[in-house]
C-alpha cells in the first residue's frame, strides 16, 4: 500500500519564524491541519537539541508527528516522545584538538553537554550565544573532562572579523580531514560537525527510519546552511525573503515571505489541497 504520509522539513529563523521570532497564526493553523491528517513536521536547525526543544515547547510543536533535526543534522529528536532517534558525534580527542587550536588561534569556541553550553572561556560571544539560544552555560577548566558523552558539534564564533573565521577554517582543514566537516551557518558562526553530517543527510536518515519515500518530502529554507536540506527533498521551497542567489537552489519560490504566512502557502500547495489531504 502506498505511503501517503508527507513530511515538511522547516528551517527556523527567516522561514518558520517571522522577524519577531514567532509563528504567524496562519502558519500555525496550517501546521495543525497537516498534523491532524497524519503528516509530519520536522524543524531543521543548527541549534542544540535542548534549545530546539525549548523553542518547540514555546511554539506548541510538541504533538504527535513533530520532530526536530538539530545540530545541523547530527541529531534527530522526537519532540512528542522527547527522545533522540539518531545521533552522530565528534570523538573527544577531536573536540580537544579543536579547542586547543582555537586557543592557539585566539578565537572563541565551545561545545555542548546534553543541557548546556560548555566552554573554557567567558567572553562576549558566550554571553550573546547563550542569550540568543536561551541555553545555560558552564565555564570549566577542561571541557572534555566535564563532558559525560561525545558531543554533536563544536562552534567557533567571531562577531568582529569574518576573515578570521575563514582563516581558522583553513587552519583546521588538515586536522579535521576525514574526521569532521566545517561550514558557515552565518557570517559569525563556523560549525564543525561529524563527517558526513548535514541537514540533507539527516532527511534521508529520517525518511528511512519512518519508511517515508523521498517523493513525499517538502522542505523550506532561506539560507546557505539550508542548501543540503533543499537538495534532499522532492519539493524544495525557497523563501521569498531569502537572498536572490538562493532562488535557483529550490524548485519553488514562495509568493509570501516569513512575515506573511509563507509556510501556510507551502502546506496548502504541497501537503494539503484546499485544507483537505492532497
Amino acid at each position: 500500500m502506498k505511503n501517503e504520509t508527507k513530511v515538511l522539513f522547516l528551517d527556523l529563523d527567516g522561514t518558520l519564524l517571522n522577524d519577531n521570532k514567532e509563528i504567524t497564526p496562519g502558519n500555525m493553523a496550517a501546521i495543525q491541519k497537516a498534523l491532524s491528517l497524519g503528516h509530519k513536521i520536522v524543524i531543521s536547525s543548527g541549534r542544540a537539541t535542548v534549545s530546539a526543544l525549548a523553542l518547540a515547547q514555546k511554539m506548541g510543536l510538541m504533538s504527535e508527528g513533530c520532530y526536530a533535526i538539530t545540530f545541523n543534522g547530527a541529531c534527530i529528536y522526537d519532540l512528542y516522545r522527547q527522545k533522540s532517534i539518531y545521533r552522530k558525534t565528534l570523538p573527544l580527542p577531536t573536540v580537544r584538538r579543536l579547542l586547543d587550536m582555537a586557543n592557539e588561534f585566539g578565537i572563541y569556541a565551545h561545545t555542548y553537554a546534553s543541557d548546556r553550553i560548555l566552554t573554557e572561556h567567558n567572553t562576549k560571544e558566550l554571553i550573546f550565544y547563550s542569550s540568543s539560544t536561551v541555553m545555560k552555560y558552564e565555564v570549566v577548566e577542561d571541557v572534555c573532562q566535564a563532558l559525560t558523552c561525545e558531543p554533536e558539534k563544536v562552534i567557533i564564533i567571531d562577531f568582529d572579523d569574518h576573515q578570521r573565521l575563514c582563516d581558522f577554517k583553513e587552519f583546521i582543514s588538515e586536522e579535521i580531514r576525514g574526521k569532521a566537516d566545517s561550514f558557515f551557518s552565518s557570517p559569525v558562526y563556523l560549525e564543525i560537525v561529524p563527517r558526513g553530517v548535514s541537514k540533507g543527510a539527516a532527511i534521508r536518515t529520517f525518511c528511512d527510519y519512518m519508511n517515508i519515500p523521498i517523493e513525499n518530502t517538502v522542505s523550506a529554507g532561506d539560507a546557505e546552511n539550508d542548501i543540503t536540506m533543499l537538495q534532499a527533498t522532492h519539493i524544495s521551497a525557497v523563501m521569498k525573503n531569502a537572498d536572490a542567489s538562493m532562488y535557483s537552489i529550490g524548485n519553488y519560490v514562495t509568493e509570501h515571505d516569513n512575515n506573511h504566512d509563507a509556510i501556510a502557502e507551502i502546506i496548502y500547495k504541497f501537503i494539503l489541497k484546499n485544507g483537505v489531504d492532497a
Side-chain angles (χ1 to χ4, degrees), residues 20-187:
N20 294 322
K21 306 298 183 184
E22 299 168 340
I23 301 180
T24 64
N27 281 347
M28 181 54 79
I31 287 170
Q32 294 300 337
K33 182 65 175 178
L35 289 169
S36 73
L37 291 168
H39 302 298
K40 312 292 186 188
I41 301 294
V42 185
I43 295 169
S44 300
S45 174
R47 292 172 186 252
T49 302
V50 65
S51 177
L53 177 58
L55 192 57
Q57 289 172 329
K58 181 180 178 181
M59 295 186 299
L61 294 179
M62 298 294 293
S63 59
E64 179 76 63
C66 293
Y67 297 83
I69 291 171
T70 58
F71 291 114
N72 278 307
C75 179
I76 303 173
Y77 193 82
D78 185 330
L79 292 166
Y80 176 63
R81 293 171 181 81
Q82 297 194 33
K83 67 174 185 178
S84 296
I85 59 177
Y86 169 84
R87 286 182 75 234
K88 191 170 184 179
T89 57
L90 289 167
L92 290 182
T94 300
V95 174
R96 182 67 267 164
R97 183 64 182 137
L98 286 168
L99 296 177
D100 288 343
M101 293 179 82
N103 286 336
E104 179 183 344
F105 205 81
I107 199 166
Y108 174 79
H110 73 237
T111 190
Y112 307 82
S114 61
D115 63 344
R116 65 197 184 282
I117 300 161
L118 279 179
T119 184
E120 295 167 0
H121 302 282
N122 193 337
T123 69
K124 65 181 182 181
E125 289 85 1
L126 169 64
I127 301 305
F128 177 87
Y129 187 94
S130 171
S131 174
S132 64
T133 59
V134 197
M135 289 185 68
K136 297 182 294 184
Y137 66 84
E138 183 178 1
V139 180
V140 296
E141 185 174 344
D142 187 329
V143 160
C144 289
Q145 289 293 321
L147 286 166
T148 57
C149 62
E150 293 179 346
E152 289 94 341
K153 183 175 81 171
V154 169
I155 189 168
I156 315 297
I157 305 175
D158 192 319
F159 292 141
D160 302 317
D161 189 349
H162 176 69
Q163 186 58 48
R164 267 170 51 83
L165 285 175
C166 294
D167 292 344
F168 185 76
K169 188 175 189 293
E170 178 63 26
F171 181 60
I172 64 172
S173 60
E174 284 301 317
E175 180 67 31
I176 69 171
R177 190 182 304 277
K179 305 173 188 175
D181 292 332
S182 64
F183 59 89
F184 290 101
S185 59
S186 84

